[in-house]
Amino acid sequence: MANKLESTKFGKYGGQFVPEVLMPALEELTEYYEKFKDDAIFNEELDYYLRDFAGRPSPLYFAKRLSKEYGVKIYLKREDLVHGGAHKLNNTLGQGLLAKYMGKKRIIAETGAGQHGTACAMAGATFGINTEVYMGAKDTVRQRMNVYRMELMGTKVIPVKSGSQTLKDAINEAMRDWVANVETTHYMIGSVVGPHPFPTMVRDFQSVIGKEVRTQIMEKEGRFPDSIVACTGGGSNAMGIFYPFIEEDVDLFAVEAGGSGMKTTDKEALHSATLCTGEDGVLHGMRTKVLQNKYGQILESSSIAAGLDYAGVGPELAYLADIGRLKPCNSMDSEALLAFHDLCRLEGIIPALESSHAVAYVRKAAATGELGDIVVINISGRGDKDLQTVMGMRK
Amino acid sequence: MANKLESTKFGKYGGQFVPEVLMPALEELTEYYEKFKDDAIFNEELDYYLRDFAGRPSPLYFAKRLSKEYGVKIYLKREDLVHGGAHKLNNTLGQGLLAKYMGKKRIIAETGAGQHGTACAMAGATFGINTEVYMGAKDTVRQRMNVYRMELMGTKVIPVKSGSQTLKDAINEAMRDWVANVETTHYMIGSVVGPHPFPTMVRDFQSVIGKEVRTQIMEKEGRFPDSIVACTGGGSNAMGIFYPFIEEDVDLFAVEAGGSGMKTTDKEALHSATLCTGEDGVLHGMRTKVLQNKYGQILESSSIAAGLDYAGVGPELAYLADIGRLKPCNSMDSEALLAFHDLCRLEGIIPALESSHAVAYVRKAAATGELGDIVVINISGRGDKDLQTVMGMRK
Amino acid sequence: MRISEKFRQLKGRKEGALIAYICAGDPTPAATKEYVTALVRGGVDIIELGLPFSDPVADGPTIQAGIQRALEGGMTPDIFFRTINSLKLHIPIVVMTYYNLIFKRGLEKFAKDCAASGISGIIVPDLPPEESDELLQACKENDIDLIYLVAPTTTKERMDRILAEGTGFIYLVARLGVTGVRSDVAASTGELIKRVKTNTPKAVGFGISNGQQAARIIRAGADGVIVGSAFVDIIAKGEDVAARLEALARELKEGAEVAIN
Amino acid sequence: MRISEKFRQLKGRKEGALIAYICAGDPTPAATKEYVTALVRGGVDIIELGLPFSDPVADGPTIQAGIQRALEGGMTPDIFFRTINSLKLHIPIVVMTYYNLIFKRGLEKFAKDCAASGISGIIVPDLPPEESDELLQACKENDIDLIYLVAPTTTKERMDRILAEGTGFIYLVARLGVTGVRSDVAASTGELIKRVKTNTPKAVGFGISNGQQAARIIRAGADGVIVGSAFVDIIAKGEDVAARLEALARELKEGAEVAIN
Ligand SMILES: Cc1ncc(COP(=O)(O)O)c(C=O)c1O
Ligand SMILES: Cc1ncc(COP(=O)(O)O)c(C=O)c1O
């Protein structure tokens, strides 16, 4: 067992902090994942869905006018063009296919704003697997359209009325469901978080982003970029684009949500900058950096971008931050909004507010020189879902 | 001049029925278009934008579960994955680039539901050309989000308060603007309609769809499909996918909006099935089939899909219908809705209501055998814009 | 009365022509008779009547609104010809309409109906010479003038063709843009008048609304002025319409007369 | 009192153990003292007190609500240990909490605080044996039992490890799913009891709410029953709480006693 335990961690982070009932399911999942992750047939089928269904490869676009405005050569990795409007589908197709290979009859998931839920619904429909998504009751009201999208695709959306009726309650409820139905059900986690093997598996499924960038930037520049910048909620789009460059001489910037400021109280943080300010802890099955009070109670986090609004972060990012391989940084709500408008106006691309945090960091850091000459920004998703929010800001 | 006139027509259809003021602009546009359409540098730049900005090629996806349900082998051409969510950008990138080569300082356009306007805004932002879009005042209210999208990208949306305050008034107003500012301004028409050279030019820019299908279906099936089905409003997505197959033994189906029924009164049609029921006439600068009353007054058309709701149709489609090269057909609102739900549920793809008309035709015609064994459906756009409409239907 | 005859008459009298446009049926067919009479009393030389089309792309908001009122008032091509027929004017009448209404009626029949109801000319703003061969033929056969427009943007090559084919008068579009009242006369107007070298009379339209402007245009070398939106505005306001139409016609005509002296 | 001693006592008396869970601080720290006293009066053998955590993934809605009330009532780990310290019970007390609160306090300190305040055992529902080496060490050094859970899904290999490491008692999860009252006893429960071959006492929890169920489980071979949600339900209703807790405890204890005879 010592051997297996070893591989569940990234340094001291990661692991499997889950109820006993789930351990066999995690073992089964790990086993299947290890079996299929390098399997030729599995990967061929996954590649097929990524290409023909999801629309990969996504372009690497040279943002000429934005480059001029910010004073550094900027390439945008266009995950906004992936089916469903975000990188999330890369992961749900991978896990969905694995669930199919495992013979699971049912997929469950949690969702906050509905991006991951929508991606699950898409994968569920494609693979013909029954899908149910837990969503905080408050979120179902705020994100009515995403609920409807999921329902159209045959997914059952279950409003969670306990606790704060938001994402964390949805996670709790999904975990409970998994505990109760572990034999027939695959729990589809939406980021590089949760117990092993999820952080590793989701990273691998998302690595298609970075692999494409390797080829694309070589074609365009004949060399790797000086830096890569990605927004970081759970950290899946970041790990997806970072991982294939881990061994390369490329600086990696994980941009968290600075919210309305770096303050915290005993109960809540005005931000979601977990890598920047979180402390070592255990949440949702993993040891990682966590926004918590002195007793270890988890704080309510905050961000204008629902997808970044999370009190934890993927354990591998926590590890990479500790060893100095990536630089944690953050952009505030107001900075993200400015970057959002820049990209709309200069490039005709409406980015997700999540992705706008990455753009915002380049906006302020380009002049310092720390990003080098060529920077790749991961545009993790499109911003159509955020129009209402941005419109509200205007008033 | 006889020579040039000849080439402005498709059989008896097409031509240039516009105010004298515009004739020189059309000549200039024709000239530039003829000059650049086979120009290597122009095409290389256009290909670049289509690939890196728009995300082309769009996949040709084998819809396994839909095929099983409908009993015919169905491939979906995924224009829903193109940047902006519809095929419209193929055209606006082409015209936008041409406008840049022509040295135009300003782009104007009309839009109904806002799809073409959004695509114009995207092209305008990318190329850094001032863009103004006319939109019926009623439509600006109904499609508030699309107005906002355009504005975010720096496009000025001008509400048209004359007439019925909808698409046709926006067209009229855009034409008037062009008449007044013809020297500095390019008028970006959004479909294969209007005076020559627009129907030809827009068809050529959209032909990238069909060209890709040629390669893709050969890879997948080793042969061309038996039939291609596309929804038809103005006809640009249809001509785009049909045109590269015109000389091949492939049946072409242009599916119009059957609305709530094939009835017309003196003032309005309950449908928009121009190819099916329209009569020879002259509208918006072209001779084509037109929905009109016995005096030649244009009827108000109707469809659940805003993008199909047009009383005219591209002249080349009228010609191809007359000579029997394509089959005009239609799907009713209610049929399109059923097909919409099928695609959502079975394939995890939310199609535009426009595109759902094409799917709906396959739904009812597959069993007759007229579509053959392999059919390609053009999914001209995604349905996120239609969620509100479909939700309304449920009640 | 033929248009050419009217212009000859005016030339003899050293007067610039006043061509007045209103939309037939705005707001009712009966009103049109009354308004035309008022205009003629005011001194108008040629009446240009719009046959309303549902999608008038070449017209500005003022005239578009008039067209809409006319359509709502029930105006159709059939009623149009009957109305004209009952006018019995002693000055030329010209119809202005969009091509689809002509096309739908049939070019032959339309030209015949014009001739039969006493119309002397046809203006089709969305029919450039490239597309007008057939209608021109039908007009010739029925002794109707097909009146072409030229614009500041019209190239030399096109101008030559238009001047070779057009009869009655040449409609000079005073500026880029659609119909509608403007407060100034564009510099380009004078230039255009000079560029149009022909024996066919030249009338300038688009944006003229008062006697001063009319005078300036005739002085610049035009044979007539065409005024539309200013009259349609009066109809739109709906107060004391006939009297005000007459008064405005008189003012414009005086401007056109004064100019030549 | 050590847990093992309690079970030895009960074994001698041929009684099944009743382990009662409530959440410390629900709805106030003061109330907990009162409720614990009532439970002990009702015949409870071991008190399991929840130290409330903000994200209790292994608990059902009933207990989650209790945890929320406790947090809102101001319960913290510091107050928790002070409250326990003031209880002075003559039966074993077990703390049930999530790992982050232990981790954050420091494993050593947490175990010491437990020992100092009279706690005999720790249950951590989100800490499987794979992750528990360090806590186990700290517990051993402080004479505290680390109580492991086994579930119907637990494999033979894992079971062996858990049984080798667990002390105090083995917590048998009666069914897949989270805490909460159920109306039946799952067939799988009997099976699980048979599968768990150990000398450590076996207590079954999850879903037990009445004397009959308790009896059936003891009869099936368990050494004790754990009841939580049924008690927390009474606290949630808030009427006559102490008396009803005592009454339910009595009913359950009677079930557990009867079963062995
Ligand atoms: C567009 C987009 N970007 C980023 C994120 C953050 O997730 P992650 O950090 O796992 O990439 C989300 C989450 O919903 C998202 O929707
Ligand atoms: C998604 C979509 N499909 C089809 C159409 C119809 O246009 P066309 O017939 O030119 O393809 C539109 C027009 O807006 C559209 O948005």
Side-chain angles (χ1 to χ4, degrees):
Chain A
M1 258 193 212
N3 208 352
K4 187 165 251 171
L5 181 63
E6 183 66 26
S7 71
T8 69
K9 298 263 166 101
F10 308 95
K12 66 184 179 187
Y13 300 109
Q16 300 182 309
F17 296 84
V18 297
E20 174 58 29
V21 188
L22 291 185
M23 288 302 293
L26 292 179
E27 278 178 12
E28 185 196 13
L29 182 60
T30 306
E31 217 171 86
Y32 271 92
Y33 178 59
E34 278 168 356
K35 178 167 160 197
F36 286 114
K37 85 192 189 66
D38 298 315
D39 181 75
I41 293 175
F42 178 85
N43 280 293
E44 205 172 285
E45 192 168 352
L46 181 55
D47 283 350
Y48 165 79
Y49 279 102
L50 287 172
R51 190 182 62 238
D52 282 17
F53 182 67
R56 304 207 70 89
S58 70
L60 183 69
Y61 179 59
F62 171 53
K64 194 160 66 175
R65 302 181 69 210
L66 195 73
S67 297
K68 201 166 155 210
E69 182 90 0
Y70 289 0
V72 65
K73 198 162 189 185
I74 298 171
Y75 284 91
L76 306 176
K77 180 60 175 165
R78 300 289 305 279
E79 295 298 300
D80 62 302
L81 292 177
V82 173
H83 183 46
H87 69 292
K88 295 280 169 192
L89 187 67
N90 303 328
N91 169 42
T92 60
L93 284 178
Q95 288 195 49
L97 194 61
L98 193 61
K100 204 176 108 176
Y101 276 62
M102 288 169 75
K104 297 287 178 189
K105 305 228 149 16
R106 184 167 169 264
I107 289 168
I108 56 167
E110 84 293 337
T111 197
Q115 290 307 106
H116 172 55
T118 303
C120 287
M122 289 178 161
T126 319
F127 295 129
I129 305 178
N130 225 337
T131 305
E132 296 182 24
V133 170
Y134 288 93
M135 193 168 179
K138 271 192 200 152
D139 289 336
T140 61
V141 175
R142 284 190 287 211
Q143 304 286 338
R144 214 166 52 102
M145 277 303 145
N146 269 340
V147 171
Y148 189 52
R149 292 214 285 176
M150 291 184 256
E151 287 174 350
L152 281 171
M153 294 184 281
T155 284
K156 189 172 160 196
V157 178
I158 306 169
V160 177
K161 302 216 174 76
S162 57
S164 60
Q165 312 199 6
T166 59
L167 176 63
K168 62 190 246 175
D169 308 287
I171 296 178
N172 294 347
E173 205 57 35
M175 282 250 195
R176 285 175 194 135
D177 181 315
W178 201 29
V179 166
N181 301 289
V182 64
E183 281 155 346
T184 55
T185 299
H186 176 67
Y187 177 27
M188 206 175 249
I189 288 187
S191 190
V192 289
V193 298
H196 177 79
F198 286 103
T200 304
M201 186 171 68
V202 176
R203 175 201 72 202
D204 290 348
F205 287 139
Q206 290 291 2
S207 287
V208 66
I209 305 174
K211 281 183 207 153
E212 288 174 4
V213 172
R214 281 181 72 101
T215 315
Q216 291 167 324
I217 195 75
M218 270 299 172
E219 268 170 24
K220 284 171 198 293
E221 293 285 344
R223 71 166 175 98
F224 289 146
D226 298 311
S227 53
I228 301 178
V229 181
C231 69
T232 301
S236 67
N237 88 85
M239 281 314 301
I241 196 167
F242 291 167
Y243 193 65
F245 290 93
I246 284 281
E247 306 286 323
E248 312 295 348
D249 184 20
V250 174
D251 291 338
L252 309 174
F253 294 82
V255 187
E256 301 191 301
S260 51
M262 277 301 147
K263 297 209 195 73
T264 57
T265 69
D266 211 40
K267 295 229 167 111
E268 56 181 10
L270 297 187
H271 57 85
S272 310
T274 316
L275 285 174
C276 294
T277 73
E279 292 169 7
D280 200 352
V282 171
L283 176 67
H284 295 143
M286 62 184 160
R287 178 167 169 187
T288 188
K289 290 185 192 290
V290 176
L291 296 180
Q292 51 185 321
N293 70 12
K294 64 174 179 182
Y295 292 120
Q297 305 292 5
I298 310 306
L299 302 182
E300 303 264 351
S301 58
S302 160
S303 170
I304 194 176
L308 302 183
D309 195 351
Y310 181 52
V313 66
E316 191 168 11
L317 290 116
Y319 169 70
L320 293 172
D322 277 5
I323 64 168
R325 181 61 193 93
L326 67 75
K327 183 175 167 189
C329 43
N330 62 77
S331 302
M332 292 183 55
D333 288 351
S334 55
E335 295 171 324
L337 274 169
L338 289 174
F340 172 91
H341 284 291
D342 284 346
L343 202 54
C344 288
R345 187 173 40 85
L346 294 171
E347 299 291 351
I349 295 170
I350 305 177
L353 279 176
E354 288 82 2
S355 323
S356 301
H357 283 73
V359 180
Y361 189 73
V362 175
R363 191 177 195 272
K364 63 186 171 187
T368 68
E370 66 169 324
L371 302 173
D373 299 325
I374 300 180
V375 47
V376 172
I377 306 178
N378 199 9
I379 304 299
S380 54
R382 64 168 129 95
D384 301 63
K385 67 182 180 60
D386 298 316
L387 293 182
Q388 209 83 48
T389 306
V390 179
M391 261 179 119
M393 289 293 124
R394 223 176 19 171
K395 283 164 203 161
Chain B
M1 257 193 212
N3 207 352
K4 189 165 249 169
L5 182 65
E6 183 66 24
S7 72
T8 69
K9 298 264 166 103
F10 308 95
K12 65 184 179 188
Y13 300 109
Q16 299 182 309
F17 297 84
V18 297
E20 175 58 29
V21 188
L22 291 185
M23 288 302 294
L26 293 178
E27 278 178 14
E28 185 197 12
L29 182 60
T30 307
E31 216 171 88
Y32 272 93
Y33 179 58
E34 278 167 356
K35 178 168 159 196
F36 286 115
K37 83 192 192 70
D38 299 314
D39 181 75
I41 293 175
F42 178 86
N43 280 291
E44 205 172 285
E45 192 167 352
L46 180 54
D47 284 350
Y48 165 77
Y49 280 102
L50 287 173
R51 190 181 65 237
D52 281 18
F53 182 67
R56 305 207 69 90
S58 70
L60 184 69
Y61 179 61
F62 172 53
K64 193 159 69 175
R65 301 181 69 208
L66 195 74
S67 297
K68 201 166 156 210
E69 183 91 359
Y70 289 181
V72 64
K73 199 162 186 183
I74 298 171
Y75 283 91
L76 306 176
K77 181 59 176 167
R78 300 288 306 279
E79 296 298 300
D80 61 303
L81 292 178
V82 173
H83 184 46
H87 69 292
K88 295 279 169 194
L89 188 68
N90 303 327
N91 169 44
T92 59
L93 284 178
Q95 288 194 50
L97 193 62
L98 193 61
K100 204 176 107 176
Y101 276 62
M102 288 169 73
K104 296 288 178 189
K105 305 229 149 16
R106 182 167 171 264
I107 288 169
I108 56 165
E110 83 294 336
T111 197
Q115 291 307 107
H116 173 55
T118 302
C120 287
M122 288 177 162
T126 318
F127 296 128
I129 304 178
N130 224 338
T131 304
E132 297 182 23
V133 170
Y134 288 92
M135 192 167 179
K138 272 192 199 151
D139 289 336
T140 61
V141 176
R142 283 190 287 211
Q143 304 287 338
R144 215 164 52 101
M145 277 302 146
N146 269 340
V147 172
Y148 189 53
R149 291 213 285 175
M150 290 184 259
E151 287 174 350
L152 281 172
M153 293 184 282
T155 284
K156 188 172 161 198
V157 177
I158 306 168
V160 177
K161 301 218 173 75
S162 58
S164 60
Q165 311 198 5
T166 59
L167 177 62
K168 62 191 245 173
D169 308 288
I171 296 177
N172 295 347
E173 207 56 36
M175 282 249 195
R176 285 176 195 135
D177 181 316
W178 201 29
V179 166
N181 301 290
V182 64
E183 281 154 348
T184 55
T185 299
H186 175 67
Y187 178 27
M188 206 176 247
I189 289 188
S191 189
V192 289
V193 298
H196 176 80
F198 286 104
T200 303
M201 186 171 67
V202 177
R203 174 201 72 201
D204 290 348
F205 286 140
Q206 290 292 2
S207 287
V208 64
I209 306 174
K211 281 184 207 151
E212 287 174 3
V213 172
R214 280 180 73 101
T215 315
Q216 290 167 324
I217 195 77
M218 270 298 171
E219 268 170 22
K220 285 171 197 292
E221 293 285 343
R223 70 165 175 98
F224 288 147
D226 297 310
S227 52
I228 301 178
V229 182
C231 69
T232 301
S236 67
N237 88 85
M239 281 314 302
I241 196 167
F242 291 166
Y243 192 65
F245 289 94
I246 285 280
E247 305 287 324
E248 312 294 347
D249 184 20
V250 175
D251 292 339
L252 309 173
F253 294 82
V255 187
E256 300 191 301
S260 51
M262 277 302 146
K263 296 210 196 71
T264 58
T265 70
D266 212 41
K267 296 232 167 102
E268 56 182 10
L270 296 185
H271 57 84
S272 310
T274 317
L275 285 173
C276 294
T277 72
E279 292 169 8
D280 200 352
V282 170
L283 176 67
H284 296 142
M286 61 185 160
R287 177 166 168 187
T288 187
K289 291 185 190 290
V290 175
L291 295 180
Q292 51 185 319
N293 71 12
K294 65 174 176 178
Y295 292 120
Q297 305 291 6
I298 310 305
L299 303 181
E300 302 263 352
S301 58
S302 161
S303 169
I304 194 175
L308 302 182
D309 195 350
Y310 181 52
V313 67
E316 190 168 10
L317 289 116
Y319 169 70
L320 293 172
D322 277 5
I323 63 168
R325 182 60 192 91
L326 67 73
K327 183 175 168 189
C329 42
N330 62 76
S331 303
M332 293 182 54
D333 288 351
S334 55
E335 295 171 326
L337 274 170
L338 289 174
F340 172 92
H341 285 290
D342 284 347
L343 202 54
C344 289
R345 188 174 39 86
L346 294 171
E347 299 292 351
I349 295 169
I350 305 178
L353 279 176
E354 289 81 3
S355 323
S356 301
H357 284 73
V359 179
Y361 188 74
V362 175
R363 190 177 194 271
K364 62 187 172 186
T368 67
E370 66 168 325
L371 301 174
D373 298 327
I374 300 180
V375 46
V376 172
I377 306 178
N378 200 9
I379 302 300
S380 54
R382 65 169 129 95
D384 301 63
K385 69 183 179 59
D386 298 316
L387 292 182
Q388 210 84 47
T389 307
V390 179
M391 259 179 119
M393 289 293 123
R394 218 172 29 164
K395 282 163 202 162
Chain C
M1 190 183 200
R2 290 302 299 255
I3 295 165
S4 51
E5 203 184 316
K6 184 65 177 178
F7 274 100
R8 245 192 320 273
Q9 235 179 44
L10 291 168
K11 195 147 209 162
R13 284 192 260 147
K14 299 209 165 189
E15 284 177 30
L18 172 60
I19 304 168
Y21 168 95
I22 62 171
C23 182
D26 174 16
T28 62
T32 297
K33 283 177 88 160
E34 185 194 347
Y35 298 162
V36 166
T37 310
L39 289 168
V40 175
R41 256 199 317 263
V44 159
D45 300 300
I46 299 174
I47 285 284
E48 179 187 340
L49 278 174
L51 166 57
F53 177 55
S54 53
D55 290 71
V57 290
D59 283 297
T62 307
I63 291 187
Q64 192 190 4
I67 288 172
Q68 221 170 314
R69 288 191 299 270
L71 288 172
E72 277 158 19
M75 180 50 77
T76 68
D78 291 344
I79 298 175
F80 177 81
F81 286 116
R82 254 183 276 142
T83 306
I84 305 266
N85 215 359
S86 68
L87 285 179
K88 317 270 181 228
L89 298 186
H90 292 172
I91 60 169
I93 303 173
V94 163
V95 56
M96 145 104 166
T97 195
Y98 288 80
Y99 192 51
N100 198 50
L101 297 193
I102 303 172
F103 183 80
K104 183 74 182 168
R105 198 169 186 87
L107 311 186
E108 287 288 321
K109 178 162 164 48
F110 193 91
K112 276 210 176 67
D113 288 345
C114 283
S117 58
I119 289 170
S120 318
I122 305 181
I123 303 174
V124 194
D126 62 345
L127 191 72
E130 281 80 352
E131 307 286 358
S132 68
D133 286 352
E134 292 169 14
L135 182 60
L136 191 62
Q137 190 55 35
C139 284
K140 278 188 183 144
E141 281 163 17
N142 290 280
D143 281 339
I144 305 275
D145 292 316
L146 186 55
I147 294 154
Y148 288 92
L149 294 87
V150 299
T153 52
T154 304
T155 56
K156 166 113 185 45
E157 190 193 18
R158 299 182 50 73
M159 180 83 81
D160 291 347
R161 174 170 179 176
I162 292 169
L163 297 185
E165 288 182 1
T167 58
F169 63 88
I170 305 292
Y171 192 137
L172 279 61
V173 176
R175 73 186 69 224
L176 301 186
V178 291
T179 56
V181 167
R182 312 289 165 111
S183 55
D184 63 321
V185 171
S188 60
T189 310
E191 247 170 73
L192 182 61
I193 295 172
K194 278 191 205 89
R195 275 184 60 212
V196 180
K197 295 193 201 320
T198 173
N199 292 329
T200 316
K202 301 180 257 189
V204 174
F206 281 50
I208 301 164
S209 62
N210 60 43
Q212 245 181 352
Q213 290 174 325
R216 229 174 299 154
I217 281 170
I218 300 296
R219 219 176 279 131
D223 302 297
V225 294
I226 307 165
V227 177
S229 299
F231 290 120
V232 175
D233 256 347
I234 292 173
I235 298 177
K237 291 209 182 84
E239 283 164 23
D240 212 5
V241 177
R244 295 178 61 202
L245 289 176
E246 185 178 334
L248 178 59
R250 185 156 300 124
E251 176 195 336
L252 288 160
K253 181 62 195 176
E254 277 166 12
E257 277 172 7
V258 165
I260 297 225
N261 298 339
Chain D
M1 192 185 201
R2 290 301 299 252
I3 296 165
S4 51
E5 201 185 319
K6 183 64 176 181
F7 273 101
R8 242 189 327 270
Q9 234 180 43
L10 291 168
K11 194 146 209 161
R13 285 193 259 147
K14 298 209 165 192
E15 283 178 29
L18 171 61
I19 303 169
Y21 169 94
I22 63 172
C23 181
D26 174 16
T28 63
T32 297
K33 281 178 90 162
E34 185 195 347
Y35 298 163
V36 166
T37 311
L39 288 167
V40 175
R41 257 198 318 262
V44 159
D45 299 301
I46 298 174
I47 285 284
E48 179 186 340
L49 278 174
L51 167 57
F53 177 56
S54 53
D55 290 71
V57 290
D59 285 294
T62 306
I63 290 184
Q64 193 190 4
I67 289 172
Q68 222 171 313
R69 288 191 298 271
L71 287 172
E72 278 158 17
M75 182 50 79
T76 68
D78 291 345
I79 299 176
F80 178 83
F81 287 117
R82 254 182 278 142
T83 306
I84 306 263
N85 214 0
S86 70
L87 285 177
K88 317 269 182 227
L89 298 187
H90 292 173
I91 58 169
I93 303 174
V94 163
V95 55
M96 146 105 166
T97 195
Y98 287 80
Y99 191 52
N100 199 48
L101 296 193
I102 301 172
F103 183 80
K104 184 72 183 167
R105 196 168 188 87
L107 311 186
E108 286 287 321
K109 178 164 165 48
F110 193 91
K112 276 209 176 71
D113 287 344
C114 282
S117 59
I119 289 170
S120 317
I122 304 180
I123 303 174
V124 194
D126 62 346
L127 191 72
E130 281 81 353
E131 308 286 358
S132 69
D133 287 353
E134 292 168 14
L135 183 60
L136 192 62
Q137 189 56 35
C139 284
K140 277 189 184 143
E141 282 163 16
N142 290 280
D143 281 337
I144 305 275
D145 292 317
L146 184 56
I147 294 155
Y148 288 92
L149 293 87
V150 299
T153 52
T154 303
T155 55
K156 166 113 184 44
E157 191 194 16
R158 300 181 50 73
M159 181 82 80
D160 291 348
R161 173 170 179 177
I162 292 170
L163 297 184
E165 288 182 0
T167 58
F169 62 88
I170 304 293
Y171 192 135
L172 278 61
V173 176
R175 71 185 68 224
L176 301 186
V178 290
T179 56
V181 166
R182 313 289 165 107
S183 56
D184 63 320
V185 169
S188 59
T189 309
E191 245 170 75
L192 182 60
I193 295 173
K194 277 191 205 91
R195 275 184 61 212
V196 180
K197 293 192 204 321
T198 173
N199 290 330
T200 315
K202 301 182 257 189
V204 174
F206 281 48
I208 300 164
S209 62
N210 60 43
Q212 246 183 353
Q213 291 173 325
R216 229 176 297 154
I217 281 169
I218 299 297
R219 218 177 277 129
D223 301 297
V225 294
I226 306 165
V227 177
S229 297
F231 290 121
V232 175
D233 256 346
I234 291 173
I235 298 177
K237 292 210 181 84
E239 284 164 23
D240 213 6
V241 177
R244 293 178 62 202
L245 289 176
E246 183 178 338
L248 178 60
R250 188 158 297 124
E251 177 196 333
L252 288 159
K253 181 63 194 176
E254 277 165 13
E257 277 172 7
V258 165
I260 297 222
N261 299 340

